[in-house]
Amino acid sequence: MANSKYEYVKNFEQPDLLIPNTWIIVRIDGRGFHKFSNKYAFEKPNDRRALDLMNAAAMAVMNELPDIVIAYGISDEYSFVFHKTCALFERRSSKLVTTIVSTFTAYYVHLWSTHFPDLPLTAPLPSFDGRAVQYPSVQNLRDYMSWRQVDCHINNLYNTTFWALIQNGGFDAKSAEKELAGSLSADKNEILFSRFKINYNNEPEIYKKGSVVFRDVSSASALHSCL
């Protein structure tokens, strides 16, 4: 009821407006996705179906929210970039984060059967968490994207080598971890090629570099996924 004696409780709400004239990135991550991927037997080291599902959900989010200009995804993570002039929800952090997280999760569940037709979802259902970070310059934004892509490369090279040792080399998880402890990128590439005839450079780009979803400026409604 408006102007009731209980309205004072609104005073406990804290403002969470993000700084004006900054690039806003909302990054979401899968919650408990290690167990989730095991539950549905995701292919190792990469499951293309799972990545395609993440990309499809990200594209759906961008269709829902035209304020997002670009998004970048790796594994169970996606970063959504709002232009520095964005005024959506008056730049309230909680509104931006919860809208991205809830919309992405809804589409992830909705599109699941398209990518995993033989594996119906059962509880516990997939969920995501998120946070908003601000960057004042285009250079900061570029460095953020570079940071996430470097993480993609480092993690994928390790996982590719780790699972090659297990799947093709007869190692168990503990011995594979020990084998790779302290190894450099060159060492992992050497293991892949000399032991398993795998040239890491020939691995699909989506695994090595992640996915980019961007809005085509020539068509306001057009979205593209660059894999």
Side-chain angles (χ1 to χ4, degrees):
M1 180 183 295
N3 299 317
S4 73
K5 67 178 182 179
Y6 306 110
E7 195 166 356
Y8 79 93
V9 298
K10 291 177 62 178
N11 296 326
F12 290 92
E13 296 182 14
Q14 295 297 306
D16 62 348
L17 300 181
L18 297 173
I19 299 171
N21 201 37
T22 56
W23 297 90
I24 301 171
I25 294 180
V26 174
R27 186 171 76 246
I28 67 169
D29 291 281
R31 180 175 172 270
F33 257 58
H34 179 72
K35 291 183 178 179
F36 180 79
S37 64
N38 287 338
K39 175 182 177 181
Y40 292 98
F42 281 13
E43 296 175 4
K44 306 294 185 180
N46 294 288
D47 192 312
R48 182 57 188 258
R49 300 167 301 171
L51 294 177
D52 287 343
L53 174 56
M54 290 287 293
N55 292 335
M59 291 182 69
V61 169
M62 290 186 68
N63 273 321
E64 293 272 352
L65 299 170
D67 299 82
I68 301 170
V69 294
I70 194 170
Y72 175 73
I74 56 175
S75 185
D76 63 339
E77 167 194 310
Y78 239 100
S79 297
F80 296 90
V81 181
F82 291 89
H83 195 275
K84 62 195 308 181
T85 60
C86 172
L88 183 64
F89 301 130
E90 300 177 330
R91 297 174 71 90
R92 291 175 60 186
S93 176
S94 57
K95 285 279 192 177
L96 292 170
V97 172
T98 56
T99 298
I100 292 288
V101 169
S102 60
T103 305
F104 188 94
T105 303
Y107 276 108
Y108 189 94
V109 172
H110 175 67
L111 296 168
W112 172 269
S113 61
T114 301
H115 299 272
F116 292 88
D118 301 321
L119 293 172
L121 277 175
T122 58
L125 296 173
S127 61
F128 296 81
D129 60 43
R131 77 235 53 184
V133 186
Q134 303 165 88
Y135 295 99
S137 70
V138 172
Q139 186 61 55
N140 294 148
L141 177 61
R142 289 172 61 90
D143 288 346
Y144 172 86
M145 291 297 193
S146 296
W147 170 53
R148 300 318 306 137
Q149 191 168 73
V150 168
D151 255 25
C152 176
H153 163 68
I154 292 173
N155 291 335
N156 188 65
L157 178 57
Y158 180 91
N159 289 334
T160 300
T161 313
F162 176 83
W163 284 103
L165 289 170
I166 292 175
Q167 294 169 345
N168 303 323
F171 285 66
D172 59 23
K174 187 174 182 179
S175 59
E177 289 177 358
K178 184 178 180 179
E179 181 77 4
L180 296 176
S183 63
L184 303 176
S185 294
D187 301 322
K188 296 181 185 70
N189 275 288
E190 178 62 23
I191 290 173
L192 287 173
F193 189 75
S194 63
R195 300 190 194 181
F196 308 112
K197 304 306 178 186
I198 297 174
N199 185 337
Y200 184 74
N201 291 329
N202 294 334
E203 291 295 294
E205 296 297 298
I206 188 174
Y207 301 156
K208 296 185 297 180
K209 297 181 179 179
S211 302
V212 178
V213 181
F214 62 93
R215 199 174 301 281
D216 189 343
V217 294
S218 64
S219 173
S221 62
L223 294 173
H224 298 273
S225 183
C226 179
L227 308 180

